[in-house]
Amino acid sequence: LRREDISAFRQTYLSLHPMDQASVFVSLDPSERAGFFDYISAEEIANMYQNLDKDMQLAILTEMDETYAGDIINAMNVDNATSLLSKLSETTRNHLLQKLNEAKKADVEELLAYPAETAGSIMTKSYLTIRPATTAQEVLEHLQEERPRVETIYYLYAVDESGRLAGVLSLRDLLTHDPSERVDHFMSTQPVTVRDRDDQEDVARLIQYYDLLAIPVLTEDEALVGIVTVDDAIDVLEEEETEDVGEFSATRGATGEKVTAFQAAKKRAPWIVLLMFLGLITAGMIEQFEETLEAIVLLAAFIPIIMDSGGNTGTQSLAVIVRGLSTGALDHIGVLKIIWREFKTGMMIGLSTALVILLLIIFVFDHAMIALVVAVSIFSTLSMATVIGTILPLIINKLKLDPAIASGPFITTMCDILGLLIYFSIATFLLDYL
Amino acid sequence: LRREDISAFRQTYLSLHPMDQASVFVSLDPSERAGFFDYISAEEIANMYQNLDKDMQLAILTEMDETYAGDIINAMNVDNATSLLSKLSETTRNHLLQKLNEAKKADVEELLAYPAETAGSIMTKSYLTIRPATTAQEVLEHLQEERPRVETIYYLYAVDESGRLAGVLSLRDLLTHDPSERVDHFMSTQPVTVRDRDDQEDVARLIQYYDLLAIPVLTEDEALVGIVTVDDAIDVLEEEETEDVGEFSATRGATGEKVTAFQAAKKRAPWIVLLMFLGLITAGMIEQFEETLEAIVLLAAFIPIIMDSGGNTGTQSLAVIVRGLSTGALDHIGVLKIIWREFKTGMMIGLSTALVILLLIIFVFDHAMIALVVAVSIFSTLSMATVIGTILPLIINKLKLDPAIASGPFITTMCDILGLLIYFSIATFLLDYL
């Protein structure tokens, strides 16, 4: 790029929304980005850079020289800077920390000291505090004169001399009250707050529940140390969702762009092997019925149908319970009533499925007695599968674990074992007629 | 309650946060709530009521007389009122609509006309508009004098004479600019906007992506007709997640408190029957290998292990791809490279799982040749299962369907069929040695 192009490019680029700057930026290849760093300053890039997703931030950090990287991190919000630094090796992190100015360094180090996924680790230190005795007019004038560069000016935090949170007022309250009134006369003195060591998901849920734009974070001694804003809350909820997907199949930490096949296999294989052990129980059980199978080999053909129907029905009940627990729709129904309703549902699904399979096996495989065995087994299995799929997540929920993650494969396996046990028992019992 | 108790109760109750009022309210039983309606007015209850979850709103609505219900809906925000009314039967809805005042009725009817899950159906009509030619000072004075009762005063929408959106400014911009400056000199003239018929999830994603507090909703002709606020965006994202869980197992609409077992079974049975048909393919395939099975009945015992391992590995790949698509982590890698990495991962998982099962079958079942057949089948199946689990969601994503919902059971079934085909083919081929 020649000089005049650079100036034109700078003007166009810097007028874009930071998120759109980010889209352009990631579409460049590393050599183009190298030029980029020459004619756009670290301060100008910081706002865009902190909006990139974390893997991308890390990848791009390696392309910069250390001074530029330090300048960027210095210009980033404290929460974003902390989140990035926490992903680096200790050596690189300490190196970059030395490049920050004193105030930023102290803030980042404070946040880094919190365990991951706590309120403290995701909060920002960039918010407005006022004294309770100020008047509305004074605060407004202060805002207009100082033009504070904080994350939100829509909530103001009234703090007493010892740093304790005395109340919260919104900019809306401020504008709609008599300018001469003192803020402690109309601020909310019992705001919703969280502790710095609270779990990040609980914090995000509170923001969602109370429709807040931000929530103050307090220490054990009620001292205000930060706030968590609604945009970070959304990202936390999103992150927890994708984590759930990952944990469900043990693929968490095995999905990034830079993960090698070997690293992914190392994370994923133990889960497959563990579930295979559960499968061995099923294998051992089928082996017990070897004589029955020897008499009627065709029985083996319907093993998959028994397994799948049971597993799918149990998983449906799981989905109903998990959804009910998360929306609170089950809060006002007794446990026994839920189980009873699911059991009735299971019997009805079982009955209709059994009728269909009965006719299908008679017509397709032309074997009426096997059709009957499969149909009766399907009916019994599906009725019981709903009960397993209901009770297991309720127990897991009582143990304060996440039922969506913990119960899936166990329900499937339990339904498998139960279904095949019913199937081969009935078949053995009716062996003489088969 | 006696008169003095009522007044004390009113005072305590009304000083609570609306969300906490809601918690108290739902803990009452219907007879207690009946008294409640006598000594708390519809206007006082409205803010709490609109925060209840929708099933609860509907249940409680039936406990009120029609005038009280109409008064509550009249006092609710337009978006919440619409959302509630859209859940009622047409007769009840029209009845209640007659109870609303003219302005509210017109707004609600406008929103009701939008298809469900569009921006129009979730937007609020409660926002501030200004003229572009006003000065910052004039707007501020207007805010302070009028104290408008709108959902947010933090974004102001500048609208020209024809109702078209000319720009957006934040209250922050307003406070930090010279009071005598005209707002059209510093407002954002290219704000992020959505169309009234856009999907609600896309709207919520934009709010999340750009860290907005609200987003303006425009018609085809650029006329401003409403805004969607961040708290509604969070709820939409949450709702879409639980819908996904429900759709995944066809339990959507079958989870409410009031759903009978028969209604639930009617919704859920078709899915189980459909998946059973897929299972019939597997059954037909196993039948083709009846001779092999007759020779070695023990082969049947390992059908579940082959099925489960293949299905679980395919599902892991699905989770990796779904997560990669949603975080954008796969955007910068070619499709072939992704497939190749998953295939390598599958081979490594397959190799380790095969070694474990080889040793286990030799020691537990004491049958070396069957152990070898199972191990080789597991290795081949797992290598291929990752490819199926990668390609299928990528195709479904290209077809603009949600891969998380559409691919689960199909991947499992395809991996089942493939795995058992490999297993029995190898077994048949090696029959003489078994």
Side-chain angles (χ1 to χ4, degrees):
Chain A
L1 289 175
R2 285 168 324 188
R3 180 167 284 273
E4 54 270 43
D5 291 339
I6 292 176
S7 132
F9 173 79
R10 275 179 51 85
Q11 201 172 2
T12 320
Y13 186 77
L14 294 175
S15 72
L16 294 175
H17 189 286
M19 290 306 305
D20 299 324
Q21 291 178 7
S23 305
V24 173
F25 185 75
V26 296
S27 69
L28 303 176
D29 59 42
S31 67
E32 290 171 312
R33 283 203 283 263
F36 202 94
F37 299 138
D38 291 338
Y39 41 80
I40 307 248
S41 76
E43 287 73 21
E44 286 166 336
I45 228 173
N47 203 3
M48 173 278 286
Y49 179 76
Q50 66 188 348
N51 287 319
L52 298 176
D53 91 87
K54 274 161 206 157
D55 291 338
M56 189 54 78
Q57 285 183 10
L58 289 172
I60 289 166
L61 199 67
T62 59
E63 298 171 8
M64 306 172 186
D65 69 54
E66 227 172 50
T67 314
Y68 196 91
D71 288 348
I72 280 202
I73 294 172
N74 218 0
M76 283 167 74
N77 291 337
V78 177
D79 49 348
N80 295 324
T82 306
S83 154
L84 172 62
L85 286 167
S86 70
K87 299 273 185 304
L88 299 174
S89 73
E90 214 181 316
T91 338
T92 323
R93 178 163 64 236
N94 289 335
H95 243 77
L96 286 170
L97 275 172
Q98 300 316 318
K99 306 261 171 196
L100 305 185
N101 67 42
E102 278 313 306
K104 182 73 70 153
K105 182 157 173 278
D107 283 350
V108 169
E109 281 176 339
E110 180 188 337
L111 265 59
L112 278 173
Y114 284 103
E117 310 209 338
T118 58
S121 72
I122 58 161
M123 69 190 184
T124 173
K125 308 279 304 174
S126 163
Y127 54 90
L128 283 177
T129 58
I130 51 175
R131 288 268 171 252
T134 341
T135 64
Q137 183 65 33
E138 285 166 355
V139 177
L140 268 181
E141 277 167 10
H142 171 77
L143 286 180
Q144 284 172 311
E145 282 155 23
E146 300 286 322
R147 301 177 188 187
R149 291 185 54 195
V150 291
E151 273 210 45
T152 180
I153 65 164
Y154 300 132
Y155 287 154
L156 300 115
Y157 300 91
V159 169
D160 65 19
E161 308 76 43
S162 59
R164 255 186 265 155
L165 182 68
V168 175
L169 75 160
S170 66
L171 189 53
R172 180 182 197 139
D173 298 333
L174 201 67
L175 281 173
T176 54
H177 277 86
D178 187 334
S180 62
E181 212 174 326
R182 272 173 52 161
V183 296
D184 55 358
H185 291 165
F186 60 85
M187 70 188 184
S188 158
T189 52
Q190 293 187 317
V192 185
T193 61
V194 293
R195 298 287 170 183
D196 51 0
R197 310 222 155 225
D198 284 355
D199 183 79
Q200 61 173 3
E201 187 172 2
D202 298 338
V203 176
R205 295 261 167 237
L206 274 179
I207 291 177
Q208 177 188 17
Y209 187 75
Y210 288 104
D211 289 350
L212 303 173
L213 301 181
I215 199 165
V217 181
L218 309 183
T219 61
E220 294 263 292
D221 332 314
E222 311 275 314
L224 178 67
V225 285
I227 65 169
V228 175
T229 51
V230 64
D231 52 306
D232 293 327
I234 300 184
D235 295 340
V236 164
L237 291 174
E238 190 78 2
E239 195 186 302
E240 297 280 343
E241 289 292 348
T242 45
E243 262 179 28
D244 285 359
V245 172
E247 281 185 23
F248 191 77
S249 52
T251 54
R252 186 176 173 183
T255 58
E257 196 177 342
K258 308 251 160 193
V259 174
T260 66
F262 180 72
Q263 288 167 329
K266 219 172 82 180
K267 290 235 178 206
R268 284 160 56 175
W271 182 243
I272 301 296
V273 172
L274 173 77
L275 290 174
M276 200 190 60
F277 272 91
L278 289 175
L280 267 189
I281 304 176
T282 326
M285 210 200 60
I286 297 180
E287 201 205 5
Q288 300 302 311
F289 291 99
E290 207 173 346
E291 280 176 36
T292 310
L293 261 171
E294 251 162 29
I296 318 283
V297 166
L298 192 58
L299 284 173
F302 302 101
I303 292 178
I305 288 193
I306 303 278
M307 286 172 64
D308 286 343
S309 305
N312 289 329
T313 310
T315 307
Q316 279 190 339
S317 298
L318 168 67
V320 169
I321 302 303
V322 166
R323 195 173 175 191
L325 288 171
S326 78
T327 63
L330 297 177
D331 294 356
H332 314 289
I333 324 180
V335 170
L336 284 177
K337 212 172 149 190
I338 299 172
I339 297 174
W340 175 234
R341 191 182 67 180
E342 275 302 310
F343 179 62
K344 281 190 294 180
T345 308
M347 285 202 296
M348 287 187 253
I349 298 177
L351 197 63
S352 47
T353 314
L355 283 175
V356 175
I357 196 84
L358 185 74
L359 297 174
L360 275 173
I361 298 182
I362 290 177
F363 286 113
V364 178
F365 294 87
D366 193 25
H367 203 311
M369 282 311 289
I370 287 196
L372 191 68
V373 173
V374 174
V376 173
S377 306
I378 289 267
F379 171 72
S380 325
T381 306
L382 267 49
S383 310
M384 293 307 300
T386 50
V387 177
I388 297 177
T390 306
I391 293 179
L392 207 63
L394 288 175
I395 294 174
I396 290 176
N397 188 53
K398 274 269 177 261
L399 300 176
K400 306 270 170 214
L401 298 170
D402 185 343
I405 295 166
S407 13
F410 292 99
I411 285 179
T412 309
T413 307
M414 284 181 68
C415 293
D416 283 1
I417 295 176
L418 180 80
L420 293 175
L421 192 62
I422 293 175
Y423 177 53
F424 283 113
S425 301
I426 296 178
T428 309
F429 185 70
L430 294 178
L431 201 55
D432 296 339
Y433 308 95
L434 289 175
Chain B
L1 289 177
R2 283 167 325 186
R3 180 166 287 273
E4 53 272 41
D5 291 339
I6 291 176
S7 133
F9 172 79
R10 275 178 52 85
Q11 203 172 0
T12 321
Y13 186 76
L14 294 175
S15 72
L16 294 175
H17 188 285
M19 290 307 304
D20 299 323
Q21 291 178 7
S23 306
V24 173
F25 186 76
V26 297
S27 69
L28 303 175
D29 59 43
S31 66
E32 290 171 311
R33 283 203 283 263
F36 201 93
F37 299 139
D38 291 338
Y39 42 80
I40 307 249
S41 76
E43 286 73 22
E44 287 166 336
I45 228 173
N47 203 3
M48 172 279 284
Y49 179 76
Q50 67 189 346
N51 287 320
L52 299 176
D53 92 88
K54 274 163 207 157
D55 291 338
M56 190 53 78
Q57 285 183 10
L58 288 173
I60 288 167
L61 198 67
T62 59
E63 298 171 7
M64 306 173 187
D65 70 54
E66 226 172 51
T67 315
Y68 196 90
D71 287 348
I72 281 203
I73 294 171
N74 218 0
M76 284 167 73
N77 291 336
V78 177
D79 49 348
N80 294 325
T82 306
S83 154
L84 173 62
L85 286 167
S86 70
K87 299 274 186 305
L88 300 173
S89 72
E90 214 181 316
T91 338
T92 322
R93 177 161 65 236
N94 290 335
H95 243 76
L96 286 171
L97 274 171
Q98 300 316 319
K99 307 261 173 197
L100 304 186
N101 66 42
E102 279 312 307
K104 181 73 70 153
K105 183 160 173 275
D107 282 352
V108 168
E109 282 177 339
E110 180 188 337
L111 265 59
L112 278 173
Y114 284 102
E117 310 209 339
T118 57
S121 72
I122 58 161
M123 69 190 185
T124 172
K125 309 278 304 172
S126 164
Y127 53 90
L128 283 177
T129 56
I130 50 173
R131 289 267 170 253
T134 340
T135 65
Q137 183 64 33
E138 285 166 354
V139 177
L140 268 180
E141 277 167 11
H142 171 77
L143 285 179
Q144 284 172 310
E145 281 155 23
E146 300 286 322
R147 302 178 185 185
R149 292 184 54 195
V150 290
E151 272 209 45
T152 179
I153 65 164
Y154 300 131
Y155 287 154
L156 300 115
Y157 299 91
V159 170
D160 65 22
E161 307 77 43
S162 58
R164 258 187 260 151
L165 182 67
V168 175
L169 75 160
S170 67
L171 190 51
R172 180 182 197 138
D173 297 333
L174 201 66
L175 281 173
T176 53
H177 278 87
D178 187 334
S180 62
E181 210 174 328
R182 273 173 52 161
V183 296
D184 55 358
H185 291 166
F186 60 85
M187 70 187 182
S188 157
T189 51
Q190 294 187 319
V192 184
T193 62
V194 292
R195 298 286 171 185
D196 51 359
R197 309 220 157 227
D198 284 355
D199 183 79
Q200 61 173 2
E201 187 172 0
D202 297 339
V203 175
R205 295 262 168 237
L206 274 179
I207 290 177
Q208 177 188 16
Y209 187 74
Y210 287 105
D211 288 350
L212 303 172
L213 300 181
I215 198 165
V217 180
L218 309 184
T219 61
E220 293 264 291
D221 332 313
E222 311 275 313
L224 178 67
V225 285
I227 65 169
V228 175
T229 50
V230 64
D231 52 306
D232 294 326
I234 300 183
D235 296 339
V236 164
L237 291 174
E238 191 77 2
E239 194 186 304
E240 297 280 344
E241 290 292 349
T242 46
E243 262 179 28
D244 285 359
V245 171
E247 281 187 23
F248 192 77
S249 52
T251 54
R252 186 174 173 187
T255 57
E257 194 176 343
K258 307 250 161 193
V259 175
T260 66
F262 180 72
Q263 288 167 330
K266 221 172 82 179
K267 290 235 179 208
R268 285 161 55 175
W271 181 242
I272 302 296
V273 172
L274 173 78
L275 290 174
M276 199 190 60
F277 272 91
L278 290 175
L280 267 190
I281 304 175
T282 327
M285 210 201 60
I286 296 180
E287 202 206 3
Q288 301 301 312
F289 292 98
E290 207 172 345
E291 279 177 37
T292 309
L293 261 170
E294 253 163 27
I296 318 284
V297 166
L298 192 58
L299 284 173
F302 301 101
I303 292 178
I305 288 193
I306 304 277
M307 285 172 65
D308 287 343
S309 305
N312 289 329
T313 310
T315 307
Q316 279 191 338
S317 298
L318 168 67
V320 169
I321 302 302
V322 166
R323 192 170 177 192
L325 289 171
S326 79
T327 62
L330 297 178
D331 294 356
H332 314 290
I333 324 179
V335 170
L336 284 177
K337 212 171 148 189
I338 300 173
I339 297 175
W340 174 234
R341 191 181 67 180
E342 274 302 310
F343 179 62
K344 281 190 294 181
T345 308
M347 285 201 297
M348 288 187 254
I349 299 177
L351 196 65
S352 47
T353 313
L355 282 175
V356 176
I357 196 81
L358 185 76
L359 297 174
L360 275 173
I361 297 183
I362 290 177
F363 285 112
V364 179
F365 295 88
D366 193 25
H367 204 311
M369 282 312 289
I370 287 196
L372 191 66
V373 173
V374 174
V376 174
S377 307
I378 290 267
F379 171 72
S380 326
T381 306
L382 268 47
S383 309
M384 294 306 300
T386 48
V387 177
I388 297 177
T390 306
I391 293 179
L392 207 63
L394 289 175
I395 293 174
I396 289 175
N397 189 53
K398 273 270 178 262
L399 300 176
K400 306 270 169 213
L401 298 169
D402 186 342
I405 294 166
S407 13
F410 291 98
I411 285 179
T412 309
T413 308
M414 283 181 69
C415 293
D416 284 359
I417 296 176
L418 181 80
L420 293 175
L421 192 63
I422 294 175
Y423 177 53
F424 283 112
S425 301
I426 296 178
T428 308
F429 183 72
L430 294 179
L431 201 55
D432 295 341
Y433 309 95
L434 289 177

